[in-house]
Amino acid sequence: MRPRIDLPTLLSQATNKNQQITFFALLSLGVIESLVGGAVTAAGAVELFFHADNCLFVHKRLRQAIADEIMSRGVQLPDVFEALPTEEAQQEFQRELAEMRSLSLKLLEDRQLAA
């Protein structure tokens, strides 16, 4: 079995929801940067981070629309390569990663403003 990031376990150490969302955003940025750098494939990222258990946790426990959107986009990354020609797929993949990075940073900014 490949390693998996288990958000319920990792985020259980956070003392409040804002801290959980901050940790989620930081983890997301790490996965996104791994995708950008080629250390992880789109399919590998789904197995590692954007898997169903984490998606359900984000949806039901974090209840944060931006976090939900990040997970939704992450789950769909492998589909880009199945649906589009190679060059187009790579461009769309990069656009998706840029948007996911932007959303993750927005989560961090929102937490900073709330503090």
Side-chain angles (χ1 to χ4, degrees):
M1 183 174 184
R2 293 180 182 223
R4 286 172 55 130
I5 294 173
D6 183 53
L7 286 177
T9 301
L10 287 175
L11 299 183
S12 70
Q13 302 301 308
T15 57
N16 60 50
K17 188 174 173 181
N18 276 338
Q19 204 175 54
Q20 286 183 327
I21 292 170
T22 298
F23 292 161
F24 167 80
L26 291 169
L27 284 166
S28 295
L29 284 170
V31 172
I32 292 162
E33 290 307 313
S34 296
L35 284 159
V36 169
V40 176
T41 64
V46 172
E47 288 180 42
L48 175 70
F49 186 73
F50 300 110
H51 53 81
D53 294 336
N54 282 348
C55 288
L56 283 172
F57 175 80
V58 167
H59 184 71
K60 290 182 177 183
R61 299 296 302 270
L62 294 187
R63 293 188 193 124
Q64 213 301 329
I66 294 173
D68 229 2
E69 184 175 348
I70 292 166
M71 295 304 285
S72 294
R73 288 174 179 268
V75 165
Q76 296 175 36
L77 287 174
D79 297 340
V80 168
F81 294 100
E82 292 178 18
L84 299 171
T86 305
E87 189 175 315
E88 248 183 281
Q90 192 57 41
Q91 290 173 352
E92 183 60 26
F93 180 69
Q94 293 302 321
R95 276 194 293 274
E96 283 298 313
L97 293 178
E99 183 61 27
M100 291 167 67
R101 181 186 299 118
S102 175
L103 291 168
S104 297
L105 291 172
K106 179 159 179 32
L107 278 178
L108 290 175
E109 289 170 11
D110 291 350
R111 302 291 77 86
Q112 220 174 17
L113 293 174

